[in-house]
Amino acid sequence: MGKKSLIKSTTKKKTKSAKKDEVKKTAKKAKVIAKAAVKAETTAKTKAAAKTRSKKTVATAKKKVSLKDLILKKFKAWKPAEIFRAAVDEEYLKNFASPPIVSDLSDKEARRIKKLLLKKRDMATIRAEIKKEAAEKAAAKKAVAEKAAAEKAAAEKVAAEKAAAEKAAAEKVAAEKKKAYLKTLPLKKFKAWKPAEIFRAAVDEEYLKNFASPSIVSGLSDKEARRIKKLLLKKRDMATIRAEIKEEAVEREAAEKAAAEKAAAEREAAEKAAVEREAAEKATMKKVIIGLASGFIILVALIFSESSSNNSKYYIKEKAGVLEIWQGRYAPLGEEWMMSLPGVPLPEQINAVYSETEVFPLIFNYYIDKADAISGMSDTPDYVVIKSYLNEALLFATTGDFRKKAYSRLNDIKFNDLMYKAGVAESRGAVSDLDEAIRYLNTASLLKVGAGKSDVVKQKIESIKEQKAEMIEAQVAEEATGTASVKSDVVEQKIESTKEQSAEIKTPMIEGSTDSVSVEPDVVEQKIVSAEKQSAEMIEAQVAEEAAVSAPAE
């Protein structure tokens, strides 16, 4: 009902609202009249009630009531003699109309509110409208700002152009005036200026009466002023002046000397105090430094001792069925993972902390077992992996028996490797290969292995030496037969070469004999034969020397 009346009231015209104002005024008058009547009735009733109450109090005062009777006494509920009803203003009810909720608004605003009240809305629409309103406001604000900026820019541009034009015009006028002034200035005549009345300062008669020359020594104390005055009034001559100057110089020198002695004494005292203070500070500092250094050294020693103690602690843990070894860090506290030993059971005695002698045997046996497992896997085990495991085991060998156990396995691997290399070298069959096989066997004989293996190595060395001796004998015999045939071939080649040389010699000798008549043919032939014999002997001697040289080398 309130909403409909609101809508109706907003659609009425101004004349209707004026009628309503008149109805309101009449209703207010009727209310005032009704209130006055009710007030008169209530005052009359209160007076009557007061009279009856006074009578009752007089009656009850005569009769005393006990406290018990008063507590148990029952009182009747009060009812008014006549129920109050407010007077009805028929004229007001005829012209009654609900007051408008949006009164004092224009018709346009009233229509807008009516539209809002009748509108069905949800949150999405409200948000969209809010965004739209915000966007419209921002756009309007932006447009206003842009318009204002454009107007401001235009106004600034116009003002700048106007100022520039005015400045240019003023500069032009000033230039023209200056040009005209400079032309007329040399020809211009000026009158000499004279004041209308010559200025004279006013005389202060009162000041002149009380005038006194200022004190020359003002701003000084009375004693100093008297001293300077005495000096100014003193009659002096040059002898007195010189004596006073000398006296002043002596006094000044004495004062300076005293001041210098005092300053020197103070300086010596200060230097002595400074030296003593510095010595005391150095001694104190030395004590402090020594204390700090000793404390630091003790602290470092404690830290190192605690760190080494913690580092020598070992812990055994089990995680997911795998035995883990943990070692204390090289620090006062803390531990770190060292290694895992899968397949190794927990020790029978479980301790909170273990020592190196308790933990290292577990790691040693773990690596030994791994090496033995690989060596038994196939006929040709991987000796590289086995050696790596054995070397790892040696790092954790805490006793001589453990080291002997690991070294014996390493020696066996080395022995097998050398025997294999010796067999390969022997199979190649050459003398150099047999020497190489003997070297391998000699190295194997130096290893600490079983007595049976050492005997096998010795037998193998003897057999290879015998094989080598047989091969050398056969080779020497073959080389001997080969050298004899080679020597005969060499002799024949030498003989042929000497024959060729003798033939070459023979030809010029015959040619020479034809030139002289005294030489006979038989003498020439004898010379040729002797030359051939000499060359043959020389060749045989050379071959014998070569055979003698080659025999010791063989």
Side-chain angles (χ1 to χ4, degrees):
M1 288 299 287
K3 188 175 180 182
K4 289 181 181 179
S5 64
L6 175 62
I7 294 162
K8 287 177 182 178
S9 64
T10 53
T11 56
K12 288 179 181 181
K13 294 182 181 179
K14 290 181 180 180
T15 54
K16 203 167 184 181
S17 62
K19 288 179 182 179
K20 284 182 180 179
D21 292 337
E22 291 177 3
V23 172
K24 283 180 184 178
K25 288 177 182 178
T26 54
K28 283 180 181 179
K29 288 178 182 178
K31 281 182 181 179
V32 170
I33 294 164
K35 282 181 181 179
V38 169
K39 191 174 182 181
E41 288 179 3
T42 51
T43 51
K45 286 178 181 179
T46 51
K47 285 180 181 179
K51 286 179 181 180
T52 54
R53 201 180 298 117
S54 62
K55 289 178 181 180
K56 285 180 181 179
T57 51
V58 172
T60 53
K62 292 178 181 179
K63 186 181 179 181
K64 290 183 179 180
V65 181
S66 64
L67 183 61
K68 185 178 180 182
D69 293 337
L70 185 63
I71 291 168
L72 298 173
K73 193 173 184 179
K74 293 181 179 179
F75 298 92
K76 292 180 180 180
W78 179 82
K79 289 182 181 180
E82 186 180 352
I83 295 169
F84 172 76
R85 287 181 177 83
V88 179
D89 190 353
E90 298 294 336
E91 189 66 27
Y92 173 74
L93 291 174
K94 283 179 184 178
N95 299 319
F96 176 76
S98 60
I101 298 171
V102 290
S103 60
D104 300 331
L105 296 175
S106 62
D107 294 339
K108 184 178 179 182
E109 186 67 15
R111 283 195 298 274
R112 188 180 72 80
I113 291 171
K114 180 182 177 182
K115 187 179 178 182
L116 286 172
L117 292 170
L118 292 173
K119 193 171 185 180
K120 292 180 179 179
R121 303 163 68 83
D122 55 356
M123 290 308 295
T125 314
I126 290 166
R127 292 191 191 98
E129 287 178 357
I130 290 167
K131 286 181 180 178
K132 187 178 177 182
E133 273 186 32
E136 287 175 356
K137 284 181 181 178
K141 192 174 180 181
K142 188 178 179 183
V144 170
E146 288 176 354
K147 186 178 178 183
E151 288 176 355
K152 187 179 179 181
E156 288 176 355
K157 187 178 179 182
V158 170
E161 289 175 354
K162 186 177 178 182
E166 289 176 353
K167 188 178 178 182
E171 287 176 354
K172 188 177 179 182
V173 170
E176 289 176 355
K177 283 182 178 180
K178 188 176 180 181
K179 192 174 179 182
Y181 177 74
L182 291 173
K183 284 181 181 179
T184 57
L185 184 62
L187 304 173
K188 200 169 184 179
K189 292 181 179 181
F190 299 94
K191 291 180 179 180
W193 180 81
K194 289 182 181 179
E197 186 179 352
I198 297 169
F199 173 76
R200 287 182 176 83
V203 178
D204 190 352
E205 298 294 337
E206 190 68 27
Y207 173 75
L208 289 173
K209 285 179 183 179
N210 301 319
F211 175 76
S213 59
S215 176
I216 299 171
V217 291
S218 61
L220 298 174
S221 62
D222 295 340
K223 186 178 179 181
E224 186 68 15
R226 282 194 299 273
R227 188 182 71 80
I228 291 171
K229 188 177 178 181
K230 184 180 178 181
L231 287 171
L232 290 172
L233 296 173
K234 192 173 183 180
K235 292 180 180 180
R236 304 162 67 85
D237 55 357
M238 291 305 297
T240 311
I241 291 168
R242 290 190 190 97
E244 288 178 354
I245 290 169
K246 284 180 181 179
E247 188 180 351
E248 284 183 3
V250 170
E251 289 176 356
R252 188 166 57 251
E253 285 177 2
E256 288 176 357
K257 187 177 180 181
E261 288 174 355
K262 186 178 179 182
E266 289 176 353
R267 187 167 58 250
E268 286 177 2
E271 287 175 357
K272 188 177 180 181
V275 169
E276 290 175 355
R277 187 170 59 254
E278 188 176 357
E281 288 177 356
K282 283 182 179 179
T284 307
M285 185 62 70
K286 189 176 180 181
K287 288 179 183 177
V288 171
I289 290 168
I290 290 167
L292 290 173
S294 59
F296 179 73
I297 290 165
I298 292 166
L299 180 63
V300 170
L302 288 172
I303 290 169
F304 273 107
S305 64
E306 287 296 322
S307 299
S308 59
S309 175
N310 189 48
N311 189 244
S312 64
K313 293 178 182 178
Y314 295 88
Y315 308 90
I316 296 176
K317 299 179 182 180
E318 187 177 9
K319 187 177 181 181
V322 178
L323 189 71
E324 290 185 349
I325 306 294
W326 289 67
Q327 185 181 6
R329 289 198 182 108
Y330 197 77
L333 295 172
E335 58 192 40
E336 58 186 356
W337 179 86
M338 184 178 175
M339 64 188 306
S340 297
L341 304 176
V344 178
L346 282 167
E348 295 178 357
Q349 187 177 356
I350 304 298
N351 299 330
V353 180
Y354 294 87
S355 64
E356 185 178 294
T357 56
E358 292 173 331
V359 172
F360 277 20
L362 296 174
I363 304 170
F364 176 82
N365 291 326
Y366 170 73
Y367 283 116
I368 292 291
D369 293 342
K370 289 197 77 171
D372 293 344
I374 292 172
S375 61
M377 283 173 65
S378 62
D379 296 333
T380 56
D382 191 349
Y383 287 119
V384 176
V385 178
I386 294 170
K387 285 172 74 176
S388 67
Y389 283 136
L390 291 173
N391 288 323
E392 289 289 336
L394 280 171
L395 297 174
F396 300 98
T398 54
T399 62
D401 293 337
F402 286 154
R403 282 190 286 273
K404 187 176 179 182
K405 190 176 180 181
Y407 279 124
S408 66
R409 283 169 170 75
L410 287 170
N411 289 336
D412 290 340
I413 293 169
K414 184 70 175 175
F415 179 81
N416 293 333
D417 185 34
L418 291 170
M419 292 297 289
Y420 174 75
K421 289 178 179 178
V424 171
E426 184 185 3
S427 65
R428 287 199 289 268
V431 176
S432 60
D433 295 329
L434 293 175
D435 290 334
E436 187 178 357
I438 289 168
R439 283 196 300 273
Y440 286 138
L441 291 171
N442 287 329
T443 307
S445 67
L446 298 174
L447 297 173
K448 292 182 180 180
V449 291
K453 291 182 179 180
S454 298
D455 295 337
V456 170
V457 171
K458 289 177 182 177
Q459 292 173 5
K460 191 74 174 174
I461 290 170
E462 294 296 330
S463 65
I464 291 172
K465 283 182 178 180
E466 290 175 359
Q467 187 179 353
K468 179 184 174 184
E470 291 174 358
M471 288 180 68
I472 290 169
E473 288 176 0
Q475 190 174 1
V476 168
E478 186 178 353
E479 285 178 356
T481 56
T483 51
S485 60
V486 168
K487 285 178 182 179
S488 61
D489 293 338
V490 170
V491 170
E492 289 178 359
Q493 289 175 1
K494 294 281 185 181
I495 291 167
E496 290 295 329
S497 64
T498 53
K499 285 182 178 180
E500 289 176 358
Q501 290 175 1
S502 63
E504 289 174 357
I505 295 166
K506 187 177 180 180
T507 308
M509 289 177 70
I510 293 168
E511 290 175 355
S513 63
T514 56
D515 293 335
S516 60
V517 179
S518 62
V519 178
E520 294 180 357
D522 295 334
V523 176
V524 173
E525 288 179 358
Q526 288 176 0
K527 287 183 178 181
I528 291 167
V529 171
S530 64
E532 288 178 353
K533 286 180 180 179
Q534 288 177 359
S535 63
E537 290 174 356
M538 290 173 65
I539 290 166
E540 287 177 358
Q542 189 175 359
V543 170
E545 287 178 2
E546 289 178 357
V549 170
S550 62
E554 292 172 359

